């Protein structure tokens, strides 16, 4: 196998939810033709990043274990090795997990991306040959939490008002700790 670090670069944009990720994704999609000779993009806006996101979320939901998630990531590494582009970008704010307050039939997210370090760690190990860069957008804690609350309320995940939402989940937004 050749050393992919010399041939290509991998950029993984993880979000977070409600931090402007969609704007970046739509811009990449709108400019795909101009970027296509330099950049292969797997994007939430067109759904091409969904398989990786769904594997990460399956890990968060307890539907798969870490070794199975690693297998999914290794399949993506295989794909990336076959791509001719010098830069590969994966952009999906669902990669670090589900936002605070998310609700499925069997799961409620009560923390701020608690499995993100494990997910990023696995991706960093498997994708190491591509010298990956992980990009995360952040916002000031208060407006970010209000935006997350509004989104979860619109999706029917919570019926609490904002103060009740804070009391219920007791979120501690510690971006420096998340970066570490």
């Amino acid at each position: 196998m050749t050393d992919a670090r010399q041939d290509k670069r991998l950029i993984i944009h993880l979000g977070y939810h409600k931090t402007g990720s969609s704007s970046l994704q739509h811009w990449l999609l709108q400019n795909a033709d101009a970027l296509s000779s330099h950049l292969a993009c797997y994007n939430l806006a067109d759904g091409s990043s969904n398989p990786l996101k769904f594997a990460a979320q399956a890990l968060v939901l307890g539907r798969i274990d870490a070794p199975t998630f690693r297998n999914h990531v290794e399949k993506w590494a295989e794909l990336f090795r076959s791509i001719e582009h010098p830069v590969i970008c994966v952009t999906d704010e669902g990669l670090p997990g589900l936002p605070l307050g998310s609700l499925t039939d069997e799961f409620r997210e009560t923390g701020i991306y608690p499995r993100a370090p494990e997910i990023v760690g696995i991706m960093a190990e498997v994708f190491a040959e591509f010298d990956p860069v992980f990009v995360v957008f952040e916002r000031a804690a208060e407006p970010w939490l209000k935006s997350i609350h509004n989104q979860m309320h619109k999706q029917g995940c919570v019926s609490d008002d904002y103060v009740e939402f804070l009391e219920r989940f007791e979120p501690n937004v510690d971006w420096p700790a998340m970066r570490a």
Side-chain angles (χ1 to χ4, degrees), residues 58-101:
L59 177 65
V60 169
L61 295 169
R63 295 177 182 158
I64 64 173
D65 59 12
T68 304
F69 176 65
R70 178 180 292 277
N71 290 338
H72 285 279
V73 177
E74 287 171 352
K75 289 178 185 171
W76 279 79
E78 267 182 57
L79 170 67
F80 295 160
R81 284 182 205 107
S82 71
I83 292 174
E84 300 289 327
H85 296 80
V87 179
I88 301 165
C89 176
V90 178
T91 173
D92 196 316
E93 63 269 21
L95 288 172
L98 300 166
L100 179 67

Side-chain angles (χ1 to χ4, degrees), residues 17-18 53 57 60-61 63 93-94 96-114 144-145 147-160 165 168-169:
H17 294 87
K18 309 311 292 175
K53 169 182 62 184
Q57 290 181 353
V60 169
L61 295 169
R63 295 177 182 158
E93 63 269 21
L98 300 166
L100 179 67
S102 292
L103 179 65
T104 69
D105 291 336
E106 75 280 357
F107 180 84
R108 160 88 65 190
E109 183 54 78
T110 60
I112 299 175
Y113 306 107
W144 179 72
L145 286 170
S147 188
I148 290 290
H149 167 262
N150 288 340
Q151 186 67 33
M152 294 301 98
H153 194 273
K154 280 192 253 179
Q155 292 178 358
C157 296
V158 297
S159 58
D160 310 329
F165 178 78
R168 180 178 185 179
F169 296 108

Side-chain angles (χ1 to χ4, degrees), residues 13 22-33 35 39 41-43 45 89-91:
H13 170 242
S22 296
S23 295
L24 170 67
Q25 292 156 359
H26 288 291
W27 184 88
L28 287 166
L29 191 60
Q30 289 170 346
N31 292 282
D33 289 341
L35 298 169
L39 175 74
C41 189
Y42 296 86
N43 193 333
C89 176
V90 178
T91 173

